[in-house]
Amino acid sequence: MKVIVVGAGLGGLTLAHGLRRAGITVAVYERDGALGRPQGVSLHVDDRGAAALRSCLPSAHADMVAATMGGPRTRTLALSEVDGQLTVVGAKPADGAVRPGRQVHRPLLRAVLLTGLQDVVRFGAEFTRYERHADGTVQAWFADGSTDTADVLVGADGIGSAVRRRYLPDVRVADSGRRMIMGAAPLRAVAGTGLPDLIGDNPAAARVRGTTMVLAVLRFTQQPVLAREKWLPALRSGVVAEAEDYVMWALPVAGQELGSPVAVWRRARELAADLHPALRSVVAEAWPEVTVALRIGTIPAMPAWPASPVTLIGDAIHLAPGFGGNLAMRDAHHLCQALTEAHRGRIALVDAIGGYENTMRRNSFTSVAAEASA
Ligand SMILES: Cc1cc2nc3c(=O)[nH]c(=O)nc-3n(C[C@H](O)[C@H](O)[C@H](O)COP(=O)(O)OP(=O)(O)OC[C@H]3O[C@@H](n4cnc5c(N)ncnc54)[C@H](O)[C@@H]3O)c2cc1C
């Protein structure tokens, strides 16, 4: 069996590892260059993402990810200013959409996911269209005119999915109108504010003067350089040596285009100008070049469609701000299991894909809807 995966994001790369381990031929086509684009520094990985990584990745890769996660996050803290001091005024157990988990350094996760897939991922390859043939195969076309043919085509190409636009043209991405700016400051630069010690490993929402700022700390359980030596010496990325502990933050912003990362960071500094000095400092000390503005979209749940050799995973089919990465990796895990069953002759290919899609609709459409109504 051969599978074409469009998109080398969290879902696509997790799937590629799983398929390879099952002995299935896989080719990943990625529009961006090898360096990718800024997508924020931090990712909260919960039981869904962690189980998917453990199941799909070679064990050394999964061990490398596990060794470099932050501490356990079991509660969400509420912070407020009391007599001029930032104070913890409440704590909720992590449950529902935001589940217990650990913080992961996103560029490091991406570098781990790319390790060992050099012969599988083609960068600078923008998928444009596909055609299904009478023999059941699917042919994909790319912007440079090249094509590839496989038994299955997987759209793992994120929110603007070109595969979804052709396969399910009625699906529309709606703009929720919500915008966030997200950034991160080195822990060493803000340790003196007392904020990192105050929140420990748990995420916190600081409600101060009408603004809610979300905060979280990533303290690498094991320094990535040491973890690489032990678990994954093949990991060759500058990210490993550069990685240091940090505080990530997110601030709501009114809808507008903000421009470059530096312009986005300047806007965040303005938004934080009236906040408590510790919060102001976390924004002022942030790395400007990793600051991102995030436009929050939604994909309304849609009725089931007939299964075929074309399918979708992750943001391409359901959007979940704050936990979409976990859903994308879980989809990869479930689709990999289904395709492996078909590869071993235990189920017909299209039935296997239909089974995956039913599970995906049942789990992900429901969790996204639950979050939207929370
Ligand atoms: C700042 C920020 C913070 C977040 N924090 C969290 C978090 O803490 N926890 C969490 O679970 N989720 C989080 N998310 C959401 C998470 O990043 C996404 O849900 C996740 O990346 C979706 O994975 P995916 O594989 O479906 O798509 P993506 O990771 O978006 O990957 C899609 C890939 O497809 C490529 N592509 C697109 N079009 C084409 C084409 N035509 N041809 C070829 N390639 C194409 C893109 O370049 C991209 O590499 C966060 C998102 C942002 C932006």
Side-chain angles (χ1 to χ4, degrees):
M1 183 192 298
K2 177 173 173 183
V3 178
I4 292 174
V5 178
V6 179
L10 295 174
L13 293 174
T14 303
L15 177 63
H17 276 289
L19 294 176
R20 274 251 294 218
R21 292 183 71 211
I24 297 171
T25 304
V26 57
V28 180
Y29 291 89
E30 168 56 47
R31 181 186 57 193
D32 288 350
L35 293 178
R37 71 210 134 89
Q39 278 201 304
V41 286
S42 212
L43 196 75
H44 172 77
V45 172
D46 62 28
D47 54 309
R48 298 167 290 194
L53 291 170
R54 184 51 74 186
S55 159
C56 292
L57 268 51
S59 59
H61 290 59
D63 288 337
M64 177 73 199
V65 176
T68 51
M69 286 179 167
R73 308 171 71 185
T74 53
R75 296 177 304 155
T76 303
L77 307 178
L79 303 185
S80 195
E81 201 174 321
V82 179
D83 297 332
Q85 297 286 321
L86 266 189
T87 309
V88 177
V89 293
K92 272 197 318 195
D95 54 12
V98 181
R99 296 152 72 136
R102 290 171 185 262
Q103 198 83 354
V104 168
H105 186 44
R106 189 169 187 145
L108 182 60
L109 176 59
R110 179 177 154 83
V112 171
L113 288 173
L114 284 169
T115 300
L117 292 184
Q118 292 86 339
D119 56 333
V120 166
V121 182
R122 208 183 113 200
F123 291 104
E126 182 180 0
F127 165 89
T128 51
R129 68 186 176 90
Y130 70 84
E131 226 172 85
R132 287 177 58 191
H133 296 306
D135 64 0
T137 59
V138 188
Q139 186 172 9
W141 269 262
F142 302 92
D144 63 2
S146 61
T147 80
D148 195 2
T149 301
D151 303 292
V152 182
L153 172 70
V154 180
D157 46 347
I159 181 168
S161 175
V163 177
R164 182 196 65 231
R165 286 202 308 271
R166 275 147 197 85
Y167 188 46
L168 301 174
D170 294 338
V171 174
R172 294 275 174 270
V173 177
D175 187 345
S176 72
R178 289 165 59 205
R179 308 278 185 275
M180 300 292 283
I181 298 181
M182 302 180 88
L187 185 66
R188 61 186 151 74
V190 296
T193 63
L195 183 64
D197 285 344
L198 183 69
I199 64 176
D201 293 319
N202 287 304
R207 285 187 191 82
V208 178
R209 287 168 220 165
T211 300
T212 299
M213 182 170 176
V214 176
L215 298 147
V217 180
L218 174 52
R219 295 177 184 84
F220 291 101
T221 305
Q222 223 177 86
Q223 278 312 306
V225 172
L226 299 178
R228 171 175 62 187
E229 243 169 64
K230 181 162 182 197
W231 300 112
L232 198 57
L235 170 58
R236 293 270 153 257
S237 163
V239 166
V240 178
E242 285 162 15
E244 62 171 304
D245 298 348
Y246 57 83
V247 179
M248 62 78 61
W249 50 265
L251 275 167
V253 63
Q256 54 189 295
E257 290 302 325
L258 298 170
S260 70
V262 174
V264 174
W265 171 66
R266 288 209 186 98
R267 179 78 185 111
R269 284 187 72 172
E270 289 166 18
L271 293 168
D274 294 332
L275 300 184
H276 184 277
L279 303 178
R280 217 162 49 220
S281 165
V282 165
V283 177
E285 296 293 342
W287 291 291
E289 66 282 4
V290 302
T291 314
V292 291
L294 177 59
R295 182 192 290 258
I296 299 176
T298 58
I299 296 181
M302 70 220 71
W305 56 91
S308 84
V310 180
T311 191
L312 297 153
I313 64 172
D315 278 10
I317 189 64
H318 44 69
L319 289 169
F323 59 102
N326 287 290
L327 299 192
M329 293 185 282
R330 181 178 64 182
D331 285 353
H333 177 193
H334 288 161
L335 179 57
C336 181
Q337 286 177 325
L339 294 179
T340 302
E341 288 296 288
H343 180 59
R344 293 182 179 154
R346 294 188 185 133
I347 183 170
L349 180 59
V350 170
D351 292 343
I353 292 172
Y356 149 72
E357 289 175 345
N358 283 336
T359 307
M360 180 271 293
R361 280 187 284 262
R362 198 166 52 241
N363 290 339
S364 298
F365 287 3
T366 323
S367 23
V368 173
E371 159 74 355
S373 63

